[in-house]
């Protein structure tokens, strides 16, 4: 059973359903590779996954974590070291992304000054939305427990609130009775 107050776990409910049929899946902040590992473990044969991160350390850690999962599996993973808004625009050739995920903030155990920014995340979303498949989904975990994470959330929420409701369903999930502003989840679905 998942912990329903945990944003990272809660999004799995949505991912599990999508991964049953997903062909193209993108982790725009693959970090230590935990989210990407989960996706790879739930991917069907033929699924192509992308792991993007701005840091070479993160790419190396993700590659190492996923090495065993890839053995004997008919899935493929492309790792891209670079900023997600550029990687999505220039290096993802498919126009049918079924699931795109962001886990914002900094690399746990890494350099905390290398951190996602609202401007680049919004640019990445603008570049990705036209490439989503019919009923494609984007999930974003934000960390309002720090000042920079809170600012990022407010800026992101303003952008998400302005998305055209005739084209996108946009939702926000948050725990209500937890101390210290735990992570929250945003979801976008193509209508
Ligand atoms: N999904 C990861 C996991 O399961 O281990 C955790 C991701 S961590 C919270 C956030 C990651 O975003 C960091 O690894 C950081 O290097 C990366 N990042 C920061 N800015 C970025 C950008 N502009 N483009 C791509 N990745 C970025």
């Amino acid at each position: 059973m998942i912990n329903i107050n945990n944003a990272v776990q809660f999004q799995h409910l949505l991912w599990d359903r999508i991964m049953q049929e997903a062909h193209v899946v993108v982790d725009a902040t693959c970090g230590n590779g935990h989210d990407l590992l989960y996706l790879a473990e739930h991917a069907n044969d033929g699924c192509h996954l992308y792991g993007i991160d701005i840091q070479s350390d993160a790419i190396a850690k993700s590659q190492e974590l996923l090495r065993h999962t890839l053995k004997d599996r008919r899935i493929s993973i492309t790792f891209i070291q670079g900023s997600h808004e550029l990687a999505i625009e220039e290096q993802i050739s498919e126009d049918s992304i079924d699931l795109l995920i962001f886990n914002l903030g900094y690399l746990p155990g890494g350099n905390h000054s290398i951190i996602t920014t609202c401007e680049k995340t919004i640019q990445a979303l603008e570049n990705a939305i036209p490439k989503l498949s019919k009923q494609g989904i984007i999930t974003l975990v934000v960390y309002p427990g720090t000042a920079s994470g809170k600012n990022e959330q407010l800026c992101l929420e303003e952008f998400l609130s302005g998305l055209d409701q005739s084209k996108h369903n946009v939702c926000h999930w948050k725990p209500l009775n937890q101390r210290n502003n735990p992570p929250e989840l945003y979801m976008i679905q193509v209508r």
Side-chain angles (χ1 to χ4, degrees):
M1 181 62 177
I2 65 155
N3 172 354
I4 63 162
N5 265 337
N6 182 308
V8 170
Q9 288 184 30
F10 188 81
Q11 65 189 341
H12 292 172
L13 295 176
L14 199 57
W15 294 358
D16 288 352
R17 175 70 190 84
I18 298 162
M19 290 310 293
Q20 290 174 15
E21 292 168 10
H23 300 290
V24 182
V25 174
V26 180
D27 183 344
T29 55
C30 67
N32 290 321
H34 300 293
D35 294 323
L36 190 57
L37 177 64
Y38 186 93
L39 293 170
E41 285 174 343
H42 289 77
N44 273 322
D45 285 358
C47 187
H48 185 186
L49 298 104
Y50 289 88
I52 303 169
D53 203 286
I54 201 161
Q55 298 190 63
S56 57
D57 276 7
I59 294 291
K61 282 184 178 149
S62 291
Q63 283 174 327
E64 177 58 22
L65 190 66
L66 274 106
R67 205 155 46 89
H68 299 294
T69 308
L70 284 176
K71 274 191 190 149
D72 306 324
R73 293 290 312 279
R74 291 203 206 133
I75 59 172
S76 52
I77 305 188
T78 302
F79 288 95
I80 303 172
Q81 188 203 337
S83 198
H84 33 225
E85 78 287 2
L86 297 175
I88 288 168
E89 179 68 7
E90 296 167 3
Q91 296 189 60
I92 294 187
S93 48
E94 295 97 334
D95 279 341
S96 56
I97 299 171
D98 298 301
L99 176 63
L100 167 64
I101 71 157
F102 292 80
N103 190 339
L104 300 177
Y106 51 76
L107 182 67
N111 182 343
H112 289 196
S113 68
I114 303 175
I115 190 161
T116 54
T117 66
C118 185
E119 293 70 27
K120 286 183 179 169
T121 304
I122 289 174
Q123 189 60 57
L125 290 171
E126 285 181 333
N127 294 347
I129 284 173
K131 296 186 179 209
L132 288 177
S133 63
K134 199 161 174 271
Q135 297 205 312
I137 294 269
I138 301 176
T139 60
L140 301 111
V141 173
V142 302
Y143 293 83
T146 63
S148 65
K150 185 69 193 170
N151 285 337
E152 187 173 27
Q153 176 184 27
L154 293 174
C155 163
L156 188 63
E157 190 162 309
E158 191 181 339
F159 170 79
L160 295 176
S161 305
L163 286 175
D164 183 349
Q165 71 164 21
S166 69
K167 296 183 179 153
H168 303 105
N169 298 323
V170 184
C171 297
H172 176 200
W173 169 99
K174 68 183 270 192
L176 291 180
N177 68 339
Q178 302 296 298
R179 281 187 284 273
N180 303 323
N181 302 311
E184 298 178 25
L185 175 65
Y186 290 86
M187 293 153 274
I188 306 169
Q189 179 184 44
V190 178
R191 293 185 62 164

